[in-house]
Structure formats: structure tokens, C-alpha cells
Amino acid sequence: AARQFDTGTTEPVSFFLSGLEELLAWQPDANDDFNIAAVPLAQRQPPLRSRRPRTLVCHDMRGGYLEDRFIQGSATRNPYVFYHWRHIDIFVYFSHHTVTIPPVCWTNAAHRNGVPVLGTFITEWTGGEKLCEAFLAAGAEAYGAVSDQLARIAQHYRFDGWLINIENTLSAVAVENLSPFLRRLTAQVHSAVPGGLVIWYDSVLENGALRWQNELNEQNRVFFDACDGLFVNYNWKEEHLERTRRLAGQRHADVYIGVDVFARGDVVGGGFDSHKSLSLIRKHSLSAAIFAPGWVYEHLGAENFLQNENKFWGLLADYLPTHSICTLPLATSFSLGMGTSRFLTGKEEEPGPWYNLSAQEIQPLYTESEGQLLTSCCLQDAWCGGSSLRVQGTIPAGEERTAIRLFSFQMQAPPKLFLNLLYKMEGPHRDEFTVALELTTWDSDTCHEGNITPLPEPHGRHHPRLLPAPPPGLSALLAACSRGSEGWTSRCYELELQGCVLRDLSLLVSRQQASPQETRFTCLLGEVRVLDAASVAASPPQVQSLTASQLWWQ
């Protein structure tokens, strides 16, 4: 039985490696096909290399490799999912196995949303001391073999690098080779994986002692200098941040200050008070490492998880800069990679719970205003997949409409865009509202809509023109939804722009006339697409050299 398959069901599973022997013996294998990430890392703005302080999430849940190990999904009820990708820069999958290879479903979901994924290499306790003696104290050939293997593994399974976590004392000889090992690993990961990263955890000092510093200082900076970043332990106070900021200099965004959401030890704030930690970290222009945000699921339970998860990230939103989309097409039906049933073209195809993060789609911004949630997941009804996006809000008294931001862009607008929206209004007064899309562009003298010279409104607000029917190139693509069905309405729009940079895509909800009362509305979004008209007109590339492997006929 290969480790790539579940012993009970023979289904393909994600796996880890235990000990030095397994790491050194690892070779690419014909059984690996399922374990290789299928989704390339999407581009986003600003790129990871920018100096803006970043947010790293370190996922540590009950030892890892739970239901997320089933590569083709499982029938899990109320599973743990993560979907606030727009707010984070790096995702680390953590476990206490020597070599944690991130389950491929996490890499697929993160990459689709533009987030790189790191595995973990950990040594701890007396077993860790022996392991470090075996590969660090033995010299360049021995530690070179380990760094070769780690770089090859990341390249082969198509994830993006490693968190290195040495949590045991090192002998004088071993610690002398630690910096050269980190330098070599970092160089190899950079050459094997485009945009690859190696991050060091604040644990061992340059004299080999195991003493968490809760800061960057002269005793651990030698390791920071040898790789792409430092993940600082959790028990810091503000003076630690001040000293760290001074010492980090230009590399302040490469220091990730740990925030333990479980609030173990003496910490500034965890749980729903994690924002207290974040506000201090950002005050000193440092990056943050949010450890075990699965607290929301483990501590508060699976039942109201989605609601609690939105609350948790909503409280942090002020300290988490968002990321923008910089390529088209954008197409999503908002699926979280889970559901209580499966839908296709608005109809329930298959009842029963399912969980498969590889099926998670591009996620929007989940926005709140004055503590009132505007966007959330609706599992009860969907156009396609497991869920739709529920947009709730209020049109204020005296106003005719309100806009809810869905996506942020930072890219040159093509001369002509097609947009497609599938939606369903809910509630008793659903007929009183009209729904449309609004695109904003960054202010600039060069930006014009169509061939009209002055802009229709300040701040470059554009209201794409509703098309009575999809244009010819688009009608084949939208054949299933041009009519809408099961109460869903489909709308196609076009917008011509010249010299513009796209900024935001929002849902615009209007009522027939302004009212002295505020009006509440609920709208479900089933699908949104933003397409470059030129690529719709072009014929799709032909599929070539198709191969199939790992077939099991039933």
C-alpha cells in the first residue's frame, strides 16, 4: 500500500514524511499524480515582494491531515474552510511531522486566490536533537542532501517553500552549519520554485540554545539574514516590536510577528481580541503571522462556524490590507469548496454534505459596515457548486441606491469588457429593487468611457450597458444561463473604456424611487464574470496531448 492511497478506501490522500530516512529516500513516484497541485499561483497586486507589511496564516489543527487529506473530497458535514484570501499573503500548513507536505487541496485553493503555500520542516525534543546532529553536524554534504530534497519536494508537488522550525538544542558543530544550510535551502527554493520562500521560526540562538526571543535581535538575526523572513514567537510586548523594527531596517516586512489566536502564555490579545495584537504590529510597520485561526472552529464549534469566521476576520479587517485582481478573465460562482448539497444551473443535483477545497472558487471581499455583515455564504441555494454569495444591506432613507464592493482590481482596462451576473432577490419586497454592476476606475486624465470625452460621474463610476442578449461570442459560453432558471436572473453587460485602470467591481442595488424610510434587501449572487471582449471573440486554444492515468473502473 503506497502512502499516496488510503488503506481503508484506496482513495488518493495527501501525506507527510517522518524522520530523516524518509526525507532522504523520497523520490518522485508514478503514484504522485493526485498530489501535485493543479492550479498555478495567480498573480495579484501588490506582489509579495512589495514592502507593504504582510499577513501570514499558519494553519495548525489537531495534528493536521484531517478530512483535508482526501484529495477527491469527502462527505464531511460542517468542515473547516478558509476563504478570506483577499486579506492574506502567505499560507503555512503546519503539523508536528518532520516534513509537512501541504495537502494539495489547500495549495489549489490558495493558488487560485493568489496566495503562496509553505510546508513545514520541524525538529523537536530529543529526537530532533539526534536528527539535527545527523544532518547538520555531519557537514556540507549531509545538510546539502536535506536542502536538495526539500527544494525538490516543493518543486515536484508545486507548493511554494518552507517554514523551518528547529525546536531543540543544537551542538556547537550543528549550529555552525545552520546558517549555511538556510542559505543553501533558500537559494535552491528560489531557483526551483518561482517566487519561492523560506521562513525561519524564532527558536534557536546562534549559540545553539533553544530560547524563544519574541523579537529579532543580535542572537537570532544571523538566521534572519540567511533566508526570506523570521516568524517571531508569540509572547512579545511593544518594546520587543520597537527593537525589532529598528534592527530589521529595510527588511521590516520580512519579520512576521506571531499572534497565537489560542492566546497561550502571556500575549497582547488572541481570540476575538486578536485585533489588539495586530494594531501594535502594524503601528511598527511589521508583518503579522496569525497562528491557529482554526480557534474559531475548534473553540467555538462547527455549528455557527461561517458566522463566527466572518466575525473574526471582520474584527481584523482594518489591519489587513486587501489584494487586488490584476488579470482577466474573472469568473466565480463563490463556492467555498463545501456544501450541504450540490447545485447545477440553480437546481439541486445531489443532496448531502461534501467537502473539497480544490473546488473552492475565487473568493470576493467579505465586507462589513458598522458591524453589520454585508456579504456572507448561503448554503441553502446556489447557481453552481455548493453555495452562493448572500449580499444583505440597507438603502438609507432618502437615497435611491447603495453599492457593495465585491472585488478590488489593479489593472489596465481592456478597450471592451463583457460582464455577466446571475442573481436572485429574496424577501417580501424583492420586486421593488433592481440589481446591476458598477465598475470604478482610478482617477486619471487619460481615462474615458467609450468615445465620450468627459466622464459621466466623478471618481470614474461606470455603469455597464445592459445587453438585451449575450453577444454572439458569449452566447455559446453562457448557453446554460442566458435565460436564467429556478428563480435566477441572468444579465449581460458591456463597457467600453479607453486608457483606464480598473479599481473596484461592486453590486449596485437600487429601488424604484427614493423613500423616506431605509429599505433592507437581500440578494443572492450565483455567478459573476468579467471578460475581456477580445478574448471572447478569439477561438479557444485546442487541447493537445491528452493523457489519462490512475484509472479505476467500477
Side-chain angles (χ1 to χ4, degrees):
R3 60 182 163 224
Q4 291 92 338
F5 300 98
D6 184 68
T7 45
T9 64
T10 74
E11 291 172 272
V13 288
S14 295
F15 60 87
F16 50 85
L17 303 175
S18 298
L20 202 52
E21 296 71 25
E22 279 194 18
L23 169 60
L24 294 173
W26 177 86
Q27 287 291 351
D29 182 322
N31 286 322
D32 277 337
D33 293 358
F34 293 110
N35 291 277
I36 295 170
V39 181
L41 179 59
Q43 292 177 297
R44 58 196 330 214
Q45 284 291 340
L48 194 64
R49 300 277 173 227
S50 80
R51 289 244 177 93
R52 180 171 91 167
R54 306 177 196 117
T55 307
L56 175 153
V57 160
C58 191
H59 173 66
D60 171 34
M61 186 176 278
R62 299 180 192 144
Y65 302 96
L66 306 172
E67 291 81 7
D68 54 4
R69 75 185 186 279
F70 291 104
I71 296 171
Q72 295 174 331
S74 65
T76 307
R77 197 176 294 280
N78 298 325
Y80 176 74
V81 290
F82 178 82
Y83 49 93
H84 287 82
W85 300 108
R86 298 270 142 238
H87 285 307
I88 78 162
D89 297 83
I90 300 166
F91 183 87
V92 178
Y93 195 88
F94 183 88
S95 84
H96 289 274
H97 302 290
T98 314
V99 179
T100 299
I101 299 169
V104 64
C105 64
W106 281 105
T107 307
N108 285 334
H111 279 186
R112 190 169 285 124
N113 286 281
V115 175
V117 176
L118 308 186
T120 307
F121 176 69
I122 190 171
T123 69
E124 48 193 346
W125 313 108
T126 45
E129 279 180 49
K130 290 193 184 108
L131 195 149
C132 289
E133 276 302 295
F135 89 94
L136 283 173
E141 199 178 323
Y143 71 69
V146 168
S147 83
D148 289 356
Q149 286 293 75
L150 291 173
R152 285 176 71 206
I153 288 170
Q155 181 182 42
H156 179 67
Y157 296 115
R158 297 187 191 161
F159 60 96
D160 306 285
W162 297 97
L163 172 68
I164 306 296
N165 191 352
I166 307 287
E167 296 218 46
N168 46 258
T169 309
L170 293 179
S171 69
V173 190
V175 81
E176 204 165 299
N177 286 328
L178 183 51
S179 277
F181 163 68
L182 282 176
R183 277 183 202 286
R184 174 159 175 171
L185 174 63
T186 304
Q188 283 177 303
V189 166
H190 288 181
S191 77
V193 179
L197 289 168
V198 174
I199 293 176
W200 168 256
Y201 180 65
D202 154 32
S203 51
V204 171
L205 309 182
E206 64 179 343
N207 65 6
L210 175 64
R211 272 213 307 279
W212 299 270
Q213 297 297 290
N214 304 300
E215 66 178 339
L216 170 66
N217 61 27
E218 291 300 346
Q219 298 183 79
N220 61 17
R221 79 176 288 175
V222 57
F223 308 124
F224 174 59
D225 292 342
C227 68
D228 295 306
L230 172 71
F231 182 143
V232 171
N233 191 48
Y234 318 99
N235 306 117
W236 46 267
K237 293 281 175 275
E238 190 168 8
E239 63 259 28
H240 293 96
L241 303 185
E242 287 163 3
R243 292 194 294 262
T244 296
R245 176 71 182 87
R246 275 199 301 276
L247 193 58
Q250 292 286 296
R251 287 190 68 199
H252 59 93
D254 294 338
V255 184
Y256 301 84
I257 304 293
V259 178
D260 180 3
V261 181
F262 278 85
R264 290 163 280 213
D266 183 10
V267 301
V268 173
F272 286 132
D273 285 334
S274 297
H275 60 93
K276 294 177 182 171
S277 296
L278 262 289
S279 82
L280 284 179
I281 293 167
R282 297 306 193 212
K283 178 179 159 187
H284 298 284
S285 302
L286 296 164
S287 290
I290 300 174
F291 184 75
W295 169 85
V296 176
Y297 185 87
E298 292 187 66
H299 181 69
L300 300 171
E303 280 302 307
N304 290 324
F305 166 63
L306 294 175
Q307 208 177 328
N308 289 326
E309 181 77 342
N310 287 334
K311 176 182 171 181
F312 177 82
W313 291 98
L315 288 167
L316 299 183
D318 288 349
Y319 307 105
L320 306 176
T322 56
H323 293 83
S324 305
I325 289 169
C326 61
T327 54
L328 293 178
L330 164 65
T332 181
S333 59
F334 305 104
S335 176
L336 295 186
M338 60 160 284
T340 48
S341 48
R342 288 178 194 267
F343 293 84
L344 188 61
T345 58
K347 289 189 273 293
E348 186 181 61
E349 284 262 289
E350 209 183 320
W354 65 276
Y355 174 49
N356 184 350
L357 284 170
S358 289
Q360 188 183 89
E361 302 212 11
I362 293 174
Q363 293 299 306
L365 291 160
Y366 285 85
T367 47
E368 274 193 54
S369 145
E370 284 112 50
Q372 180 194 339
L373 197 65
L374 298 179
T375 45
S376 59
C377 162
C378 171
L379 293 166
Q380 292 73 40
D381 197 357
W383 173 253
C384 178
S387 54
S388 56
L389 188 71
R390 184 186 281 112
V391 181
Q392 292 168 294
T394 305
I395 300 177
E399 310 253 323
E400 277 180 36
R401 60 192 182 192
T402 189
I404 294 97
R405 192 162 77 127
L406 300 174
F407 292 99
S408 154
F409 285 93
Q410 181 75 51
M411 61 174 289
Q412 203 62 39
K416 186 173 179 181
L417 288 164
F418 286 133
L419 299 94
N420 174 239
L421 170 68
L422 269 147
Y423 72 92
K424 181 189 267 195
M425 291 305 292
E426 292 202 312
H429 307 293
R430 66 187 79 170
D431 303 335
E432 294 170 22
F433 299 99
T434 52
V435 171
L437 291 172
E438 174 180 273
L439 263 174
T440 57
T441 50
W442 291 91
D443 286 343
S444 111
D445 301 337
T446 62
C447 176
H448 307 300
E449 187 174 320
N451 45 18
I452 314 161
T453 318
L455 279 178
E457 279 188 50
H459 314 306
R461 291 181 182 281
H462 309 276
H463 299 114
R465 189 169 69 85
L466 182 63
L467 299 172
L474 207 54
S475 55
L477 179 68
L478 303 177
C481 63
S482 54
R483 297 170 299 284
S485 63
E486 308 294 316
W488 292 89
T489 305
S490 175
R491 293 267 186 266
C492 263
Y493 305 89
E494 72 173 18
L495 179 63
E496 293 184 33
L497 295 169
Q498 289 171 18
C500 300
V501 176
L502 297 181
R503 183 174 182 166
D504 284 320
L505 175 68
S506 299
L507 186 74
L508 198 62
V509 181
S510 319
R511 51 185 169 191
Q512 313 305 347
Q513 65 250 359
S515 150
Q517 275 95 39
E518 59 172 46
T519 322
R520 289 193 55 70
F521 63 84
T522 302
C523 175
L524 300 183
L525 297 191
E527 197 163 73
V528 167
R529 296 172 197 237
V530 182
L531 310 170
D532 177 347
S535 67
V536 172
S539 54
Q542 295 300 303
V543 175
Q544 286 170 336
S545 347
L546 187 68
T547 61
S549 65
Q550 300 288 357
L551 299 178
W552 180 34
W553 296 98
Q554 274 184 291

